[in-house]
Amino acid sequence: MPLPPFRRAPGAPPRARLLPRLLAVLAVVLATALAGPAPQARAAVTLTRVNDFGSNPGALTMYVYRPATLPAHPPVVVALHGCTQSAQTYADNSGLPQLADQDGFLLVLAETGTANNASKCFNWFQTGDNRRGQGEALSVRQMAGHAVTAYGADPQRVYVTGLSAGGAMTAVMLATYPDVFSAGAVVAGLPYDCTKDNSPYTCMNPGVDLSPAAWAQRVRDAYPSYGGPWPRAAIWYGDQDTTVVPRNATELRDQWTALHGLSQTPTRTTTIGPDATRQDQYLAADGTVAVEVDRVPGIGHGTPVDPGTGGEQCGGTAAPYFLDSICSSRWIARFLGLDTSDPGGTDPDPGGGTAACWTASNYAHVQAGRATTSGGYTYAKGSQQNMGLYNTFVTHTLKESPSGYFTLADSGCP
């Protein structure tokens, strides 16, 4: 996330001396932030621009990716790009359109521009844009509302995700419109309203340490008359991020676990994906995953992707801030309860306690995070049952119940 230049409010005095300084700092950040590999040729995703979705006080642009086939009353995922990016860049490299095709959801992409912010960042740090009923926050909410009415989508399954400034704006949307967004995923973002008494630069690095109760109160203050239920939140970070430091993952965890009345000690910890991403999950009393923190090893600031055609792969690295590691969009879709296309099985309620069945090779089970390997053998996560040799030839069915706990179910499932 490049440092966010402030948008001049109507009637505000010129800031001639501030702008050059901000642009100079921005240049340094952009020069040092971790970018992806060299661009690769890939076909652009076809997006449809929507011009009339509401009063649009935040002056944002709305795009929609609608799969060729959609179920009746599909879910909606609103995606928010990072600084220097566009809706098209995010669509082309995040892997979300591919998952929309597979899992049957409507994808809405919000876009900001240089008229709002010199670096094309969402203004997550400005009170005119991060409060309920005004600015960019209201524009994004109007996009979600338009998707429900114009496309017949399910108002109970509206979600939001985004990277960096878009990740920080995701936290804004969950806090200001908990009655609209039932869950979301913050990728390299920040806790809601960190800039209430801190500069955005301090919030990004070194970060701000508040108590879980203090962080949770800032969310409650965003919509004082609202009493719950609170949105579920997934938090994704690269453990080498120096732009928005990983401390923010801990503070985000504190904010959302406190809102849900949960301990800051994870209910369970596992590793997922090809790079052994650490996944901490915090379960509500009903067994649903209320909060999840995914810490990706060895990467800096960006969206974790895993280009390729495998069942657990997605995304591309044809633009900066898309980092080859793990298909975070796949796991985010799973957290949101959208992913029914995992190779070898289906998961009707990934965020809840419903039993799910998965049939695949031992290799695929390990890659999907359902099993581990040691000494050439494979073991089901949770039950630690021996599944035999770690290869692509031995196949088993695993039952997941509760979420994240797997047992052998070759004789029948569930």
Side-chain angles (χ1 to χ4, degrees):
M1 179 191 296
L3 298 183
F6 293 85
R7 182 176 63 182
R8 182 183 173 190
R15 297 176 178 176
R17 290 175 293 179
L18 178 61
L19 183 57
R21 186 184 311 163
L22 290 173
L23 292 178
V25 174
L26 172 62
V28 173
V29 173
L30 287 176
T32 57
L34 180 60
Q40 303 170 1
R42 57 188 293 116
V45 173
T46 301
L47 302 178
T48 300
R49 179 168 176 168
V50 178
N51 293 315
D52 186 12
F53 59 87
S55 61
N56 191 18
L60 302 180
T61 304
M62 177 181 178
Y63 293 91
V64 170
Y65 177 78
R66 187 186 190 281
T69 58
L70 272 179
H73 310 299
V76 176
V77 174
V78 178
L80 308 174
H81 62 79
C83 295
T84 76
Q85 296 180 338
S86 65
Q88 188 69 58
T89 300
Y90 209 65
D92 289 345
N93 293 280
S94 65
L96 286 170
Q98 166 194 338
L99 297 174
D101 288 336
Q102 294 176 359
D103 301 330
F105 61 84
L106 187 73
L107 178 60
V108 173
L109 298 109
E111 181 178 278
T112 187
T114 55
N116 280 13
N117 183 289
S119 295
K120 297 193 293 185
C121 307
F122 288 98
N123 287 318
W124 56 273
F125 51 89
Q126 290 192 165
T127 56
D129 289 303
N130 66 13
R131 295 295 190 262
R132 183 179 175 90
Q134 60 191 52
E136 292 180 359
L138 180 53
S139 289
V140 175
R141 188 266 176 268
Q142 289 175 345
M143 292 181 194
H146 181 82
V148 169
T149 57
Y151 297 90
D154 185 350
Q156 303 303 313
R157 293 189 295 163
V158 179
Y159 311 104
V160 60
T161 185
L163 164 68
S164 193
M169 201 68 186
T170 294
V172 168
M173 299 313 301
L174 294 177
T176 56
Y177 291 101
D179 51 335
V180 175
F181 298 96
S182 59
V186 178
V187 184
L190 298 99
Y192 174 68
D193 211 16
C194 179
T195 52
K196 176 181 180 180
D197 44 14
N198 299 279
S199 78
Y201 314 102
T202 299
C203 291
M204 291 161 58
N205 188 349
V208 173
D209 183 21
L210 296 180
S211 70
W215 279 127
Q217 189 59 47
R218 296 196 178 193
V219 174
R220 294 190 184 98
D221 290 344
Y223 188 8
S225 63
Y226 184 75
W230 297 105
R232 299 166 51 244
I235 300 153
W236 281 78
Y237 261 82
D239 68 0
Q240 303 300 311
D241 195 335
T242 58
T243 304
V244 181
V245 295
R247 179 181 194 174
N248 285 292
T250 301
E251 302 303 316
L252 273 162
R253 176 207 66 187
D254 289 354
Q255 187 167 62
W256 291 93
T257 51
L259 271 172
H260 284 275
L262 302 176
S263 165
Q264 283 70 60
T265 301
T267 309
R268 57 171 173 255
T269 297
T270 57
T271 57
I272 60 172
D275 58 354
T277 288
R278 171 178 164 168
Q279 183 179 83
D280 294 334
Q281 293 183 323
Y282 302 79
L283 271 62
D286 63 358
T288 59
V289 181
V291 179
E292 179 182 288
V293 182
D294 296 274
R295 302 178 190 268
V296 186
I299 68 167
H301 189 65
T303 299
V305 295
D306 185 12
T309 58
E312 292 294 299
Q313 293 182 291
C314 74
T317 55
Y321 310 111
F322 294 96
L323 310 178
D324 194 349
S325 50
I326 180 176
C327 172
S328 60
S329 292
R330 169 71 69 192
W331 288 92
I332 288 169
R334 195 162 290 157
F335 172 81
L336 298 178
L338 302 174
D339 184 359
T340 59
S341 60
D342 187 83
T346 60
D347 186 355
D349 185 12
T354 304
C357 302
W358 317 78
T359 302
S361 70
N362 282 352
Y363 174 82
H365 281 309
V366 170
Q367 294 302 304
R370 296 185 290 269
T372 59
T373 181
S374 177
Y377 286 86
T378 306
Y379 299 88
K381 279 193 175 177
S383 69
Q384 293 302 309
Q385 291 173 301
N386 190 327
M387 299 165 58
L389 292 173
Y390 175 52
N391 58 35
T392 59
F393 305 106
V394 178
T395 297
H396 285 293
T397 297
L398 292 179
K399 179 175 74 173
E400 182 182 13
S401 182
S403 179
Y405 188 93
F406 298 89
T407 55
L408 283 167
D410 291 335
S411 59
C413 187

